[in-house]
Amino acid sequence: MFRRHASGSRTAAPVSHPGPGHGLTAAGQPAGSGLPSAAVAVAEPTGRDPGGTPPPGLDVSTAHPARVWNYWLGGRDYFAADRAAGEQLSREFPHLAQTARTERAFLVRAVRFLAGPARIRQFLDIGAGLPAGGNTHEIAQRIAPEAGIVYTDNDPAVLVHARALLQNPMLASTPEGVVSYVDADLRDVTAVLAGTARTLDLGQPVALIMLGILGHLDDYGAARSITSQLMDALPAGSYLAIADGVAGSGPVDDAQQRYNGAAAVPYHLRRPDQVASFFDGLDLIEPGVVPCSRWKPDASGASGAPGAPGAPRAGAGPANEASVYCGVARKP
């Protein structure tokens, strides 16, 4: 799938589809558009869609996965080329935009739980994508202003965007808390942990968030190993939150195969039981590993990101339920 980040931060990790920032998850993958050539070709004249000046040194004439993801989520950090690519991808691969919104809605609910009833005050979000409404630090610090959040990514464009955006008072950390970005690749666990330790106290519980990035690792065993290494480095009382696209839906599987055939950075869907295996040894929080829209849904039943173009409703029935599974578990 395209996901919201790739290797370790919220700005660059792809999901099971073209995602928010596509280079964060796969070590050795060059940062770039990661989009099918047809999507890149529809780029419109340079210029930011919602208005504003792009960060210095960035070429915004070509679509970037992180900014396309931001467009799907109803954010503001995208440009004309990204909007054009997002609209074309939505027509050709409708599951991608739906996945983006479903994962973001799950993220909001999961962080509310983690910062609220679970009383977690430290968050490590790997492959998070560009800041948009409902980012981890916004949700967590609304509940616990003293919360510390680390986003990890290895996409230079994502890091430039993120650092510029976080200077905006609307997106900046609270005075009591802290938000930082770490330039690291998901496959380099040592670098991820070392960068995280500069901001967070790894002797205290941490919520590890990995949304839409594990499919960038084509080796299932490697994906499990990396997840285990990260959780092994965190103390008891830490949590793991995962959401990922799953195989099993004929139309979605076919669309993902077509996308992978054209994209520079493919995304590998896994079976629901394989997604569940990432939580082995941990205590799953009810309702377990389920489609995202069924994990502690809001009373309103809304599953789409607020303000996102054409956001679907989770409560409207199976046809509107993206093929994305998720879960949250506690380390005993």
Side-chain angles (χ1 to χ4, degrees):
M1 298 168 84
F2 185 66
R3 219 260 190 229
R4 44 174 213 147
H5 17 248
S7 129
S9 112
R10 175 166 238 69
T11 46
V15 308
S16 335
H17 312 295
H22 83 281
L24 298 179
T25 270
Q29 288 284 4
S33 89
L35 299 169
S37 57
V40 174
V42 299
E44 295 182 356
T46 332
R48 181 168 179 164
D49 233 19
T53 303
L58 284 183
D59 176 10
V60 298
S61 64
T62 299
H64 187 284
R67 295 193 299 260
V68 172
W69 201 260
N70 191 263
Y71 167 71
W72 284 337
L73 292 177
R76 291 189 56 81
D77 197 52
Y78 63 86
F79 299 82
D82 309 303
R83 176 174 57 82
E87 291 176 353
Q88 178 171 326
L89 285 167
S90 293
R91 292 190 295 269
E92 297 184 8
F93 309 101
H95 69 296
L96 298 184
Q98 187 173 349
T99 291
R101 295 164 189 149
T102 299
E103 286 190 356
R104 176 51 61 98
F106 164 69
L107 174 72
V108 170
R109 300 195 304 276
V111 174
R112 283 177 186 160
F113 166 79
L114 291 166
R119 300 191 63 77
I120 292 294
R121 296 297 180 261
Q122 301 190 115
F123 297 80
L124 170 56
D125 189 338
I126 299 181
L130 292 173
N135 255 33
T136 298
H137 75 278
E138 294 178 85
I139 303 303
Q141 292 183 342
R142 194 173 300 154
I143 297 169
E146 72 276 20
I149 294 87
V150 170
Y151 297 121
T152 70
D153 206 307
N154 69 355
D155 185 322
V158 163
L159 294 169
V160 170
H161 274 296
R163 287 165 181 155
L165 289 167
L166 288 174
Q167 295 177 17
N168 183 328
M170 298 298 293
L171 292 174
S173 172
T174 58
E176 304 94 328
V178 62
V179 176
S180 69
Y181 272 75
V182 170
D183 182 0
D185 190 285
L186 172 63
R187 297 185 189 184
D188 191 344
V189 173
T190 299
V192 169
L193 292 172
T196 301
R198 290 195 291 268
T199 299
L200 305 183
D201 178 0
L202 299 187
Q204 297 297 319
V206 175
L208 172 61
I209 299 173
M210 304 175 76
L211 271 60
I213 61 170
L214 290 171
H216 286 286
L217 301 168
D218 57 356
D219 187 311
Y220 168 58
R224 285 200 60 178
S225 175
I226 288 170
T227 304
S228 295
Q229 290 176 59
L230 288 167
M231 287 305 297
D232 286 347
L234 303 179
S238 294
Y239 283 79
L240 173 64
I242 289 176
D244 230 333
V246 296
S249 168
V252 170
D253 291 358
D254 293 344
Q256 190 61 42
Q257 288 180 9
R258 287 190 293 108
Y259 175 83
N260 286 350
V265 182
Y267 201 90
H268 306 280
L269 301 182
R270 296 192 167 98
R271 302 187 310 269
D273 65 295
Q274 291 177 316
V275 174
S277 74
F278 291 115
F279 297 99
D280 286 353
L282 306 177
D283 297 332
L284 277 166
I285 303 302
E286 290 295 334
V289 179
V290 295
C292 280
S293 57
R294 301 181 190 177
W295 197 89
K296 300 186 183 300
D298 292 334
S300 65
S303 71
R313 288 182 56 82
N320 289 321
E321 191 172 80
S323 298
V324 187
Y325 274 56
C326 67
V328 175
R330 184 180 184 275
K331 182 175 179 177

